[in-house]
Amino acid sequence: MQQPNSPELFRPGITFDELIAAYDQLQLRFGDPALHAVYGGGCRQSPAICFVFMNPTGRNRTSQPGWEGIHVPWIGTGRIWRIFASLGLLPEEVAARVIPLKPDDWTPELAEELYSCLSDRGIYVTNLGKCTLPDARPIPDRVYREYLPFLRRELELVQPKRIVAFGNQVSSLLLGRPVSVSRCRGLSFPLEVGGSVVPLWPVYYPVGNGSMNLPKAMEDLKKILTEAGFVAS
């Protein structure tokens, strides 16, 4: 097994299983070693849209020791699923079940069901950084840059048709240029993904410290989904 700081951890052509193994090793380097890395989840075959967030925290139920299900974003929280439900990206029946749950109420079976629903709707959800930390402390660019080649390969494997990047930091790192969401609302930028050019929309981060921008994020997301012809039902 490669050491966590090995320069050979990433190589071109890495498979999904190898990506997961690499993320586990990077967790030891950049995350809390007592927590599990969290990967992407949902539709892995040309999803209609891919949402890229920042990084998971220990509030994610799947990051906790003893969890025996899939390790995917936002399990154990309700805010994102409330947003997804408002956008029509979740069946009402599933949304009504998951939104009120406390972190300890989540089960591997429910997490699997939720992400199967996302997959059926052509949605993929991931983070730029897979390093799980106990809290929502800021992560410097230098750490996220360690994850960039892995995320790029992840996107190559998934081949999304559209990408939404949440927040200035994630958008700037993915595009390789300074991005201010407030100055480019509603605009998409070309991102090369495995030889194809995919439109990427920077959007306000809608939770945590970005909650104040939730109305703007919702407005922009609705426009993106409408203009893209994305059908969520």
Side-chain angles (χ1 to χ4, degrees):
M1 180 180 294
Q2 298 290 343
Q3 295 300 311
N5 59 352
S6 170
E8 299 177 2
L9 194 62
F10 177 80
R11 61 173 178 76
I14 191 171
T15 66
F16 239 115
D17 287 343
E18 290 171 326
L19 270 179
I20 288 173
Y23 288 143
D24 288 342
Q25 289 296 296
L26 288 167
Q27 177 68 19
L28 301 178
R29 185 177 173 191
F30 297 114
D32 185 329
L35 298 172
H36 203 289
V38 174
Y39 323 122
C43 180
R44 287 186 177 183
Q45 297 182 337
S46 298
I49 195 160
C50 169
F51 295 107
V52 183
F53 293 90
M54 296 172 68
N55 72 290
T57 73
R59 290 190 63 194
N60 185 311
R61 183 72 178 86
T62 78
S63 73
Q64 296 299 314
W67 177 266
E68 297 182 353
I70 55 176
H71 299 277
V72 287
W74 300 109
I75 299 300
T77 64
R79 183 67 62 84
I80 282 296
W81 307 124
R82 189 175 292 110
I83 291 171
F84 274 37
S86 297
L87 293 169
L89 301 178
L90 281 180
E92 292 182 5
E93 183 271 333
V94 173
R97 287 166 56 202
V98 303
I99 289 172
L101 291 179
K102 296 179 180 179
D104 289 343
D105 293 334
W106 284 81
T107 64
E109 294 76 17
L110 185 54
E112 189 75 50
E113 179 184 351
L114 174 61
Y115 269 82
S116 282
C117 288
L118 295 180
S119 181
D120 291 344
R121 283 159 173 72
I123 300 165
Y124 187 78
V125 183
T126 193
N127 292 296
L128 169 51
K130 274 65 174 180
C131 46
T132 310
L133 295 169
D135 50 32
R137 71 190 68 176
I139 293 182
D141 285 357
R142 62 175 178 80
V143 172
Y144 280 133
R145 287 194 183 100
E146 297 282 346
Y147 282 90
L148 266 177
F150 298 95
L151 178 61
R152 290 190 181 114
R153 178 57 182 163
E154 184 178 344
L155 294 174
E156 287 175 5
L157 290 167
V158 173
Q159 283 293 304
K161 296 176 182 176
R162 306 166 186 88
I163 298 171
V164 169
F166 288 100
N168 294 338
Q169 190 176 22
V170 172
S171 301
S172 298
L173 287 166
L174 264 175
L175 291 170
R177 54 182 285 188
V179 173
S180 171
V181 173
S182 65
R183 296 179 182 177
C184 61
R185 291 182 62 189
L187 299 179
S188 67
F189 298 83
L191 180 70
E192 185 175 346
V193 177
S196 300
V197 176
V198 178
L200 180 151
W201 285 268
V203 172
Y204 284 106
Y205 208 84
V207 295
N209 292 334
S211 295
M212 67 183 70
N213 291 317
L214 177 58
K216 296 177 183 177
M218 291 296 292
E219 180 181 344
D220 294 346
L221 287 168
K222 288 176 182 177
K223 288 181 179 178
I224 292 166
L225 292 173
T226 300
E227 292 174 4
F230 182 78
V231 180
S233 59

